Amino acid sequence: MFERDVNRAGSARRARAACGALLLLATGSAAPAQAPDPRILPAQPAYARNAACAPLRIAMPPGTHRLPGDALISPKPAEIPIGQGDTAICFAYATADMISQRVGRAVSPLDVAGKFYFADPARLEGLPDPALRAHLRAHPNHAADIAWSRNAADINPVGNPGLQPYFDKLEGGEEDAAALLYNLDGLCEERDLPSHEGYAHFTPTYAALRFGAPLRAPNQCLRRVGATVGKLRSRGADAFNDAWLARVETLCRRIPLPVPLLPVSTRVAANQLDFMAMLEAGRPPAPRDITRLLARVDYALDHGRAPTIGYSWYILQDRDPKDPDLAADHSSAVIGRRRTAGGCQYLVQDNTGEYCARMRPDIAGRCDNGRVWLREDELRRTLYSVIYLR
């Protein structure tokens, strides 16, 4: 969204829907997450690769997630990433990881998604933080970018023949827009609004809201959903979404953000499908452009930030011939780096819940508990975006 390297106006964009499966392998356990770094990184730094591929591991806040019904998880939540289940909102899970690392608390991905789809971007202008105000002045098109991102979302037709934009039927989103909108109203922790296994904790809630939405529609209050784009609104869906957001507010014990969330985004393609179209047209991104993305990853890691990357899930797992998704557009946080005899590798934290045994054999050997070491040459094949928080 911010500092785009492509002209999105002409891009035929698909929202992210196929969001891969659990990536995996780390060397040892990470140190406990530290207090939030009060520094605000420069808006336009000099990016460069870490030539030595110096090893490091970004500390993440301990996980608090649980299974529906309060069943215990094995391994422990602190040892595995939160999983998105059957949702198609990997952007919210990756963004939540990025924000959680920045603020030192495990943030709820469902809350991240709710703000992305429905929060009023005009309210950002009223926030007093000077760094955020300077960031908004430097990106005067942020409201239009957010609207564009919302209009790129898809609506899941399964159990939804009328294609109503119910919250739990929305798919796809943008990490930078989601991070910026999360400056509003304070953070909601995962322990308050559980998101492990996607919507599974709230299946009865959604069923009740869907049944009752037509009854509430004539008398609904639109203050929670009225500022989003027309694509995400209808009479029945407004009632459903407004009631869901009200439910979120009863569950979330919101905490003020300790630092402003200032996203920096760089990309060589609009999404994975656009990246593939560039390859098919004989216009692949220049190697120097991918190097430039990796320099952003190195910069973020070297300055204590966990960036998110846009790439293809098919790096990790073969495509099922019956899968209609040709791109498998995916988003994950990067939380480590190491050098091996084969070159530089990056530790990617996934959020989908897939097992290592289902990965490609060479990938499976680098997997453990929701994290995978990817070689630089593997990332270069499909990497198209990098987002980090200043």
Side-chain angles (χ1 to χ4, degrees):
M1 185 176 89
F2 307 111
E3 299 185 9
R4 294 291 195 198
D5 290 333
V6 294
N7 180 357
R8 301 173 309 176
S11 296
R13 174 122 181 185
R14 288 183 66 233
R16 295 177 182 171
C19 290
L22 254 189
L23 327 170
L24 306 103
L25 172 101
T27 54
S29 59
Q34 303 299 311
D37 182 354
R39 297 176 303 157
I40 302 297
L41 301 180
Q44 296 182 324
Y47 296 107
R49 294 298 307 277
N50 187 301
C53 188
L56 58 78
R57 178 75 179 270
I58 297 291
M60 300 294 287
T64 61
H65 41 287
R66 62 185 186 274
L67 292 172
D70 290 331
L72 297 178
I73 297 176
S74 180
K76 297 177 181 178
E79 299 171 352
I80 60 173
I82 187 170
Q84 70 183 62
D86 293 332
T87 75
I89 53 172
C90 57
F91 83 95
Y93 284 76
T95 303
D97 278 342
M98 182 170 63
I99 295 172
S100 297
Q101 187 271 328
R102 185 73 182 94
V103 303
R105 293 175 180 268
V107 170
S108 169
L110 291 187
D111 191 46
V112 172
K115 287 188 181 182
F116 169 75
Y117 291 126
F118 300 113
D120 184 357
R123 295 179 54 220
L124 291 168
E125 300 285 355
L127 298 180
D129 186 90
L132 177 60
R133 295 176 71 87
H135 184 85
L136 296 177
R137 287 194 300 271
H139 302 91
N141 295 324
H142 63 272
D145 288 334
I146 290 169
W148 182 91
S149 300
R150 288 170 168 175
N151 278 312
D154 285 334
I155 300 173
N156 187 344
V158 177
N160 185 25
L163 289 180
Q164 293 292 319
Y166 299 125
F167 170 72
D168 62 326
K169 297 299 182 180
L170 299 178
E171 301 181 342
E174 296 293 329
E175 299 85 357
D176 42 7
L180 185 64
L181 286 165
Y182 209 73
N183 283 288
L184 295 167
D185 299 324
L187 64 87
C188 178
E189 294 188 73
E190 167 65 17
R191 70 176 75 244
D192 290 344
L193 189 68
S195 306
H196 190 53
E197 289 300 307
Y199 307 124
H201 287 269
F202 300 102
T203 299
T205 300
Y206 294 136
L209 292 181
R210 222 176 317 276
F211 175 79
L215 301 178
R216 287 187 302 273
N219 300 312
Q220 65 190 298
C221 172
L222 301 180
R223 65 183 179 86
R224 280 178 283 261
V225 298
T228 193
V229 295
K231 181 177 181 178
L232 303 186
R233 297 196 59 189
S234 71
R235 193 177 74 159
D238 282 353
F240 176 100
N241 293 328
D242 187 75
W244 164 247
L245 294 175
R247 174 65 173 157
V248 169
E249 292 312 307
T250 67
L251 295 173
C252 289
R253 294 168 289 183
R254 294 202 177 274
I255 302 169
L257 288 166
V259 291
L261 304 176
L262 312 176
V264 177
S265 175
T266 308
R267 59 184 59 222
V268 297
N271 55 21
Q272 191 57 216
L273 199 63
D274 190 37
F275 186 95
M276 293 172 61
M278 294 169 67
L279 298 180
E280 292 174 1
R283 302 181 289 101
R288 66 177 180 275
D289 292 333
I290 306 300
T291 297
R292 186 168 52 128
L293 292 182
L294 290 171
R296 267 69 170 174
V297 173
D298 282 339
Y299 175 85
L301 294 174
D302 289 338
H303 288 80
R305 306 289 190 267
T308 63
I309 57 172
Y311 65 110
S312 174
W313 168 246
Y314 293 146
I315 292 179
L316 306 170
Q317 190 175 64
D318 291 327
R319 175 176 173 263
D320 186 329
K322 297 180 181 179
D323 191 336
D325 194 337
L326 299 177
D329 205 348
H330 195 42
S331 176
S332 299
V334 180
I335 61 171
R337 183 181 60 209
R338 72 180 183 184
R339 176 171 287 282
T340 68
C344 201
Q345 295 184 353
Y346 293 90
L347 184 60
V348 177
Q349 174 159 295
D350 191 46
N351 45 48
T352 53
E354 186 60 280
Y355 296 103
C356 291
R358 298 177 183 172
M359 307 290 179
R360 299 175 188 270
D362 58 327
I363 295 290
R366 290 176 258 141
C367 295
D368 181 54
N369 282 348
R371 301 169 183 93
V372 62
W373 287 102
L374 290 180
R375 300 193 310 265
E376 178 178 326
D377 65 291
E378 291 168 334
L379 278 175
R380 282 180 173 271
R381 295 173 197 165
T382 65
L383 179 66
Y384 72 86
S385 72
V386 176
I387 298 95
Y388 69 90
L389 297 174
R390 289 173 49 207

